Amino acid sequence: MAKKQDFSELFNREKPMLEVRELKKLYPQKDGKLLSFHAPRKVHAVDGVSFTLNEKEIFGIIGES
């Protein structure tokens, strides 16, 4: 009979599975002109978001599309 393995050390509840700090995602905004002499403006989709994801948790970001 096979020996049962103990995987409990893999699931340390004190240590998060994922940590994100100050997440930013910027998209350039097109102004519709062929030639533009200024820097494109940016849309801040996510700006300065931090979160921690622990075992058995689900997290989602939903926004405009």
Side-chain angles (χ1 to χ4, degrees):
M1 181 179 232
K3 183 179 177 183
K4 186 175 179 181
Q5 293 181 329
D6 181 17
F7 293 103
S8 61
E9 70 275 0
L10 296 176
F11 301 104
N12 183 354
R13 296 189 184 269
E14 295 176 13
K15 182 179 177 187
M17 292 180 67
L18 176 68
E19 283 188 66
V20 175
R21 300 286 173 240
E22 297 297 319
L23 176 66
K24 294 182 182 187
K25 180 61 181 171
L26 309 175
Y27 293 98
Q29 183 178 26
K30 298 176 183 177
D31 59 4
K33 297 178 185 176
L34 290 176
L35 294 175
S36 182
F37 297 104
H38 58 83
R41 295 187 327 180
K42 294 185 172 104
V43 176
H44 294 253
V46 178
D47 192 1
V49 174
S50 300
F51 62 90
T52 302
L53 188 61
N54 295 310
E55 179 187 352
K56 297 182 181 179
E57 290 183 331
I58 299 172
F59 179 80
I61 298 176
I62 302 171
E64 290 184 45
S65 56

